[in-house]
Amino acid sequence: MKLMVPIEGGTIELRDYMNMNKWLSSDYTLSDPGRGSKRTVITWTETIEPFHVMKYPVTQHLYHSVMYDQEVEPIMNTLPITEVSWLDSIVFCNELSRLFGRTECYTITKESKNTIFNAKTNGFRLLSDAEWQYACKAGTKGYRYDEIDKIAWYQENANGSVQQVGTRLPNPWGLYDMIGNVWEWCWDLYDIERYGDYRVFRGGSWAEVANNCGSTVRRKSMPDFKIDDLGFRVAITQP
């Protein structure tokens, strides 16, 4: 449990955009209704209870050890796991919980939107959308907690690929790679009435331009979506 960082509770203001005419990009899986002249800004405040979060995104080494009981090439050990769906990530959380003798958080169903999260268990889980932003900002006020080249791997400095975790500066709470390197799946459905079972992911990645890497950037996709710059990070409610 040395990799888990305690986070004190508090509040966080979140923001999103709504376009009253549902808008779909040419890449349906990354649809973004927030662009265009008719968008409306929506803000709301969430209360965050204390929790613990892993200081790095889940690595290739950890993922393959838990899911397949196998090792990866040493050069890949500290790379973030990618090409994993939201569904893959919650299966991993349940398996990691079992390995540590903890109670699983998720009851997984055929319809992903009906998957049940038991918040009272002590198992591993994804962060909520609000928890992710709260942990990322770490008490800071801006879009990023420091200059981007100091804290993040993104299009301008990543040499076209994912990078080892923990090689940029952490945020003030000791969390690495919250911005850039890989997007991170969150638990939340985006908007079930308008987008069905689309789930949220956060933070930007090695493939993104600087403007798309920050504490408030949010995207969404289908729960079975996989791509080479999308991973996840785990949390626990109870230590």
Side-chain angles (χ1 to χ4, degrees):
M1 304 302 292
K2 293 180 180 179
L3 293 178
M4 304 303 290
V5 176
I7 305 296
E8 296 182 359
T11 60
I12 186 73
E13 182 180 272
L14 292 98
R15 179 183 64 194
D16 204 355
Y17 303 92
M18 177 175 289
N19 189 328
M20 300 312 294
N21 298 317
K22 184 177 177 181
W23 181 91
L24 300 177
S25 73
S26 58
D27 182 347
Y28 182 82
T29 60
L30 294 177
S31 63
D32 180 359
R35 299 186 185 278
S37 60
K38 296 184 179 180
R39 70 181 186 175
T40 300
V41 179
I42 302 169
T43 60
W44 69 99
T45 299
E46 295 275 358
T47 298
I48 306 298
E49 300 296 331
F51 67 104
H52 287 65
V53 61
M54 187 170 284
K55 65 171 61 177
Y56 309 116
V58 172
T59 61
Q60 295 270 354
H61 171 72
L62 179 58
Y63 188 85
H64 285 270
S65 295
V66 171
M67 298 303 295
Y68 308 117
D69 192 24
Q70 66 182 27
E71 297 183 357
V72 295
E73 293 293 329
I75 196 172
M76 297 177 62
N77 275 343
T78 57
L79 292 177
I81 190 68
T82 57
E83 300 280 2
V84 285
S85 67
W86 180 87
L87 294 167
D88 293 332
S89 69
I90 64 170
V91 170
F92 172 88
C93 288
N94 276 357
E95 185 62 28
L96 188 62
S97 297
R98 286 192 289 268
L99 288 175
F100 276 84
R102 292 173 172 263
T103 305
E104 299 171 16
C105 286
Y106 301 117
T107 302
I108 301 171
T109 63
K110 291 183 179 179
E111 294 289 333
S112 66
K113 64 184 178 183
N114 295 326
T115 293
I116 299 170
F117 167 51
N118 185 347
K120 296 182 179 180
T121 67
N122 65 352
F124 291 90
R125 59 178 178 81
L126 297 179
L127 284 75
S128 71
D129 183 36
E131 285 176 333
W132 190 95
Q133 184 168 314
Y134 180 75
C136 180
K137 293 183 77 69
T140 63
K141 301 299 182 182
Y143 187 51
R144 305 185 189 99
Y145 41 86
D146 207 328
E147 297 174 19
I148 189 169
D149 282 295
K150 294 181 179 180
I151 63 173
W153 294 109
Y154 68 112
Q155 191 180 92
E156 293 298 317
N157 65 7
N159 297 316
S161 66
V162 68
Q163 300 292 318
Q164 294 181 1
V165 302
T167 52
R168 305 276 93 175
L169 293 178
N171 73 8
W173 291 350
L175 305 178
Y176 294 82
D177 299 284
M178 291 297 291
I179 293 173
N181 213 3
V182 291
W183 292 96
E184 297 182 8
W185 284 113
C186 294
W187 158 252
D188 301 56
L189 288 160
Y190 180 72
D191 183 338
I192 194 168
E193 292 184 2
R194 293 169 63 82
Y195 295 95
D197 58 358
Y198 273 35
R199 299 282 175 167
V200 172
F201 50 92
R202 288 295 214 120
S205 80
W206 61 264
E208 298 291 340
V209 297
N211 285 348
N212 292 341
C213 297
S215 61
T216 58
V217 66
R218 177 189 289 107
R219 286 189 182 170
K220 58 202 168 293
S221 192
M222 297 175 290
D224 59 355
F225 178 66
K226 302 180 182 184
I227 199 168
D228 62 357
D229 66 343
L230 175 56
F232 65 102
R233 186 183 303 254
V234 297
I236 50 175
T237 302
Q238 305 172 31

